[in-house]
Amino acid sequence: TTTGPNADGEGSGLRTPIVAVLGHVDHGKTSLLDKIRGSAVIEGEAGAITQHIGATAVPLDVISELAGSLIDPSDFDLPGLLFIDTPGHHSFSTLRARGGALADIAVLVVDVNDGFQPQTLEALDILKRTQTPFVVAANKIDTTPGWNPQEDAPTLRTIDAQSDRAENTLNQRLYEIIGELSENGFSADMYWRVQDFRGNIGVVPVSALTGEGVPDLLTVLMGLSQRYMKEDMEVNLSGPGAGTVLEVKEERGFGTTLDVVLYDGVVRTDDTIVVGGKNEPIVTEVRALLQPRPLAEIRTEKRFEQVEEVTAAAGVKIAAPDLDDAIAGAPVRVARGRPVEEVVAAVEAELAEIEVDTAENG
Ligand code: GDP
């Protein structure tokens, strides 16, 4: 009978912070994630970056390689960052974990040419409501007239390489974004001028196309997590798993499956799990845990490989019987070491909270 995640000290450790990328359509969410994935594959050791179901894990050593002199890896003990593959902000608002937001931290992507748009404002509202710390990625800086692109360079180095005219144009656009944040109640500045990231939003100029500023973005996310979120990342890594359903999907050979982001503990094949369902919580047994096959093996017929267990934080596909009524956004809990009824009650309580929340907010 544990009273907290580390009550018995066993298996306690630091999990990876979960990062969500939000923003208006076409402002570059997908491109930014692709860029991070792509650079990490090129720079890092083979296999250092891992593609999960619905998420991408970027370990600290890859971040530190990409960030170069911006980061001293010995300042960090969090294992890296887990980016959720953009679920779109509508589903983001329902992605909860124990009453809070599933994402520990967020990146709000804003196109420097386009500024704040309706979905930017909606995303801001969600971030405010869920009290999710975030940074703003001011994207597409390469579209500044006269821009002289510096592939994958840190922001200040690329700004140094620009003409005064290009730099001034960019600054003007960045200050418009800072102004818009301020109009919406957020004190913000260029990230390198922010001392306290709890009270101020850092703006990171980036290009998802050229990779400029991506080292800075990763550094700021890592630094923010380490500084302000470390305590929340202390979990019992061998305790019963807890996660949130991203998607309910039919998968050939497996029937209905759940794409889940696991934020606590471990889930194993044959575990009994409790999942939020349309009418009542579903109690079932894990038949298979699936991860995407590494890219090198993509030519094989099978898209997934089976693993015996998955530890937080991670994205994973769970195959189990009776999942037809499962709902996206619902909690998933492993019922290990606790009576199933208790876990069912916990899932019911969490579901009720989500329903109240979505009812309140339309
Ligand atoms: P999403 O809807 O937010 O996921 O946006 P996408 O990532 O699909 O990007 C929308 C369009 O903007 C695509 O045509 C991208 O190639 C382009 N784009 C994204 N980021 C950049 C950037 O940094 N620079 C330039 N020039 N184009 C970009």
Side-chain angles (χ1 to χ4, degrees), residues 231-295:
E231 273 165 35
D232 300 335
M233 298 301 108
E234 280 165 6
V235 298
N236 180 357
L237 295 171
S238 58
T244 301
V245 178
L246 286 182
E247 274 191 85
V248 183
K249 264 189 196 166
E250 196 65 28
E251 215 66 72
R252 206 149 61 119
F254 295 101
T256 305
T257 64
L258 306 178
D259 288 0
V260 169
V261 169
L262 195 71
Y263 58 82
D264 196 2
V266 60
V267 57
R268 302 190 178 105
T269 311
D270 297 333
D271 266 340
T272 299
I273 54 169
V274 181
V275 187
K278 278 177 196 142
N279 305 308
E280 59 199 352
I282 300 159
V283 180
T284 183
E285 224 168 72
V286 177
R287 204 165 265 167
L289 296 169
L290 305 167
Q291 290 286 11
R293 251 169 217 286
L295 278 178

Side-chain angles (χ1 to χ4, degrees), residues 24-31 139-140 142-143 206-209:
H24 194 74
V25 64
D26 283 347
H27 280 199
K29 300 176 293 292
T30 315
S31 308
N139 191 32
K140 309 197 188 182
D142 63 287
T143 61
V206 300
S207 165
L209 198 72

Side-chain angles (χ1 to χ4, degrees), residues 324-344:
D324 289 341
D325 286 344
I327 47 183
V332 186
R333 297 282 189 95
V334 172
R336 197 189 313 122
R338 266 218 288 179
V340 170
E341 309 80 69
E342 259 183 43
V343 182
V344 169

Side-chain angles (χ1 to χ4, degrees), residues 26-45:
D26 283 347
H27 280 199
K29 300 176 293 292
T30 315
S31 308
L32 192 59
L33 277 165
D34 285 349
K35 188 70 200 179
I36 290 169
R37 271 194 287 263
S39 342
V41 168
I42 294 160
E43 295 269 336
E45 298 297 310

